Amino acid sequence: ETGVTQSPTHLIKTRGQQVTLRCSSQSGHNTVSWYQQALGQGPQFIFQYYREEENGRGNFPPRFSGLQFPNYSSELNVNALELDDSALYLCASSLGTGSSGSSGYTFGSGTRLTVV
Amino acid sequence: QQQVKQSPQSLIVQKGGISIINCAYENTAFDYFPWYQQFPGKGPALLIAIRPDVSEKKEGRFTISFNKSAKQFSLHIMDSQPGDSATYFCAASRWADYKLSFGAGTTVTVRA
């Protein structure tokens, strides 16, 4: 059974640029949630994708957008990057939309984004 | 706004000692309270979780204590080992909700 894989592991972008982060969900999982973890902080919910549609969204501006593909993998896109977007971006897959219990989230190791 | 407040920010404990991390929440609709463990370079992993119908849950050396009236819950790590050195996050949600609200994290260092 493969876990959640994210790519790339690290990247550096310039303010104003656009970035795409990728996530492959764990085998058997059909839902992907994205979280932003700033340095020294807990993860903050960005949005969740289920059946290729956004199922819920946190307090993030529209320049944060996503996609889910038929194989349940997902992309997080961020436009017009700002310095404050520098963070670890975590993808979590799950079977169903719930975050709870043993059928809840399995997190990937994240993508470290640095905006300069 | 931060819905789950966690303390302390960091702690150091000797091998064999007890680590205690505290969390408080505001939203009375929350009824699922997990703890996650995160090692450097890795994503958070579910460690143990509790629901408000019990006041304590124990799994091996890890125990959650829950106080519904005070809206507080805590993680106790008994007989702390160097391999327990990690960052611990408390979180809360409504059962089967699609998102978790995390605390800011506690970095635990266990000295050999």
Side-chain angles (χ1 to χ4, degrees):
Chain A
E1 176 180 288
T2 58
V4 177
T5 57
Q6 293 187 241
S7 63
T9 55
H10 298 82
L11 76 163
I12 300 174
K13 289 287 189 178
T14 302
R15 187 172 51 181
Q17 284 187 315
Q18 178 266 343
V19 69
T20 297
L21 311 181
R22 294 177 175 82
C23 171
S24 293
S25 59
Q26 178 171 304
S27 177
H29 286 183
N30 58 9
T31 304
V32 173
S33 303
W34 287 91
Y35 283 76
Q36 180 194 66
Q37 185 177 8
L39 195 63
Q41 298 296 317
Q44 298 290 318
F45 177 75
I46 303 175
F47 45 53
Q48 181 183 80
Y49 276 82
Y50 173 65
R51 293 182 175 179
E52 302 179 48
E53 300 216 351
E54 186 178 290
N55 183 58
R57 190 179 184 93
N59 189 26
F60 281 82
R63 58 190 186 84
F64 285 78
S65 63
L67 286 172
Q68 186 182 32
F69 300 99
N71 66 355
Y72 308 123
S73 66
S74 177
E75 288 182 352
L76 164 65
N77 299 290
V78 187
N79 293 321
L81 283 167
E82 301 176 359
L83 297 179
D84 284 349
D85 296 333
S86 295
L88 179 69
Y89 288 85
L90 294 165
C91 167
S93 72
S94 56
L95 178 59
T97 57
S99 61
S100 311
S102 60
S103 61
Y105 290 160
T106 299
F107 281 92
S109 296
T111 294
R112 174 71 64 187
L113 171 65
T114 301
V115 182
V116 298
Chain B
Q1 73 284 13
Q2 190 175 16
Q3 296 198 60
V4 181
K5 295 184 178 179
Q6 183 172 348
S7 64
Q9 185 175 6
S10 63
L11 67 91
I12 299 173
V13 63
Q14 292 297 120
K15 180 181 177 182
I18 302 173
S19 303
I20 301 174
I21 306 169
N22 300 300
C23 285
Y25 64 98
E26 291 296 324
N27 189 342
T28 55
F30 286 157
D31 60 357
Y32 173 67
F33 303 92
W35 285 88
Y36 281 80
Q37 181 188 55
Q38 185 176 31
F39 293 105
K42 300 294 185 182
L46 180 64
L47 184 64
I48 186 173
I50 197 168
R51 300 201 65 194
D53 52 337
V54 297
S55 60
E56 186 175 281
K57 182 175 181 179
K58 182 177 181 179
E59 290 185 1
R61 297 184 293 108
F62 300 90
T63 299
I64 300 178
S65 297
F66 182 79
N67 185 329
K68 186 174 181 178
S69 61
K71 295 189 289 185
Q72 294 176 347
F73 57 111
S74 61
L75 176 69
H76 295 228
I77 307 174
M78 313 301 286
D79 186 28
S80 296
Q81 300 296 311
D84 297 332
S85 296
T87 299
Y88 293 82
F89 294 95
C90 61
S93 75
R94 291 176 296 155
W95 179 257
D97 194 3
Y98 56 81
K99 66 177 181 179
L100 289 169
S101 296
F102 283 87
T106 297
T107 299
V108 174
T109 302
V110 181
R111 301 281 193 212

